[in-house]
PDB file of all heavy atoms in Angstrom:
ATOM      1  N   LYS E 549      18.396 -53.742 -49.054  1.00  0.00           N
ATOM      2  CA  LYS E 549      17.143 -53.072 -49.420  1.00  0.00           C
ATOM      3  C   LYS E 549      17.399 -52.042 -50.504  1.00  0.00           C
ATOM      4  O   LYS E 549      18.302 -51.227 -50.398  1.00  0.00           O
ATOM      5  CB  LYS E 549      16.541 -52.395 -48.185  1.00  0.00           C
ATOM      6  CG  LYS E 549      15.196 -51.745 -48.440  1.00  0.00           C
ATOM      7  CD  LYS E 549      14.643 -51.131 -47.170  1.00  0.00           C
ATOM      8  CE  LYS E 549      13.326 -50.438 -47.426  1.00  0.00           C
ATOM      9  NZ  LYS E 549      12.773 -49.824 -46.219  1.00  0.00           N
ATOM     10  N   ASN E 551      17.269 -48.810 -52.400  1.00  0.00           N
ATOM     11  CA  ASN E 551      16.991 -47.413 -52.045  1.00  0.00           C
ATOM     12  C   ASN E 551      16.663 -46.647 -53.320  1.00  0.00           C
ATOM     13  O   ASN E 551      17.534 -46.172 -54.024  1.00  0.00           O
ATOM     14  CB  ASN E 551      18.211 -46.793 -51.357  1.00  0.00           C
ATOM     15  CG  ASN E 551      17.937 -45.367 -50.910  1.00  0.00           C
ATOM     16  OD1 ASN E 551      16.797 -44.953 -50.814  1.00  0.00           O
ATOM     17  ND2 ASN E 551      18.991 -44.615 -50.664  1.00  0.00           N
ATOM     18  N   ALA E 596       1.535 -39.733 -60.880  1.00  0.00           N
ATOM     19  CA  ALA E 596       1.502 -39.822 -59.422  1.00  0.00           C
ATOM     20  C   ALA E 596       0.346 -38.965 -58.911  1.00  0.00           C
ATOM     21  O   ALA E 596      -0.241 -38.170 -59.648  1.00  0.00           O
ATOM     22  CB  ALA E 596       2.825 -39.332 -58.832  1.00  0.00           C
ATOM     23  N   THR E 605      -8.778 -30.869 -39.821  1.00  0.00           N
ATOM     24  CA  THR E 605     -10.002 -31.503 -40.309  1.00  0.00           C
ATOM     25  C   THR E 605      -9.768 -32.873 -40.946  1.00  0.00           C
ATOM     26  O   THR E 605     -10.721 -33.600 -41.201  1.00  0.00           O
ATOM     27  CB  THR E 605     -10.676 -30.608 -41.356  1.00  0.00           C
ATOM     28  OG1 THR E 605      -9.790 -30.462 -42.485  1.00  0.00           O
ATOM     29  CG2 THR E 605     -10.965 -29.219 -40.787  1.00  0.00           C
ATOM     30  N   ALA E 682       2.082 -38.525 -40.319  1.00  0.00           N
ATOM     31  CA  ALA E 682       1.358 -39.783 -40.131  1.00  0.00           C
ATOM     32  C   ALA E 682      -0.061 -39.753 -40.703  1.00  0.00           C
ATOM     33  O   ALA E 682      -0.527 -40.738 -41.275  1.00  0.00           O
ATOM     34  CB  ALA E 682       1.315 -40.128 -38.644  1.00  0.00           C
ATOM     35  N   PHE E 694      -8.521 -48.890 -53.435  1.00  0.00           N
ATOM     36  CA  PHE E 694      -9.182 -48.673 -54.717  1.00  0.00           C
ATOM     37  C   PHE E 694      -8.249 -48.896 -55.911  1.00  0.00           C
ATOM     38  O   PHE E 694      -8.707 -49.274 -56.989  1.00  0.00           O
ATOM     39  CB  PHE E 694      -9.719 -47.238 -54.796  1.00  0.00           C
ATOM     40  CG  PHE E 694     -10.624 -46.861 -53.659  1.00  0.00           C
ATOM     41  CD1 PHE E 694     -10.129 -46.192 -52.532  1.00  0.00           C
ATOM     42  CD2 PHE E 694     -11.979 -47.176 -53.694  1.00  0.00           C
ATOM     43  CE1 PHE E 694     -10.963 -45.839 -51.491  1.00  0.00           C
ATOM     44  CE2 PHE E 694     -12.813 -46.823 -52.647  1.00  0.00           C
ATOM     45  CZ  PHE E 694     -12.306 -46.157 -51.539  1.00  0.00           C
ATOM     46  N   GLN E 696      -4.637 -50.649 -57.247  1.00  0.00           N
ATOM     47  CA  GLN E 696      -3.595 -51.612 -56.940  1.00  0.00           C
ATOM     48  C   GLN E 696      -2.223 -50.951 -56.979  1.00  0.00           C
ATOM     49  O   GLN E 696      -1.928 -50.114 -57.838  1.00  0.00           O
ATOM     50  CB  GLN E 696      -3.638 -52.764 -57.942  1.00  0.00           C
ATOM     51  CG  GLN E 696      -2.662 -53.890 -57.634  1.00  0.00           C
ATOM     52  CD  GLN E 696      -2.804 -55.048 -58.609  1.00  0.00           C
ATOM     53  OE1 GLN E 696      -3.648 -55.025 -59.493  1.00  0.00           O
ATOM     54  NE2 GLN E 696      -1.956 -56.055 -58.437  1.00  0.00           N
ATOM     55  N   ASN E 702      -1.418 -42.310 -64.576  1.00  0.00           N
ATOM     56  CA  ASN E 702      -1.835 -41.756 -65.864  1.00  0.00           C
ATOM     57  C   ASN E 702      -2.887 -42.605 -66.566  1.00  0.00           C
ATOM     58  O   ASN E 702      -3.561 -42.130 -67.484  1.00  0.00           O
ATOM     59  CB  ASN E 702      -0.624 -41.593 -66.797  1.00  0.00           C
ATOM     60  CG  ASN E 702       0.260 -40.428 -66.392  1.00  0.00           C
ATOM     61  OD1 ASN E 702      -0.199 -39.468 -65.789  1.00  0.00           O
ATOM     62  ND2 ASN E 702       1.552 -40.520 -66.710  1.00  0.00           N
TER      63      ASN E 702
END
Side-chain angles (χ1 to χ4, degrees):
K549 184 178 178 180
N551 183 18
T605 63
F694 305 95
Q696 185 176 358
N702 286 333

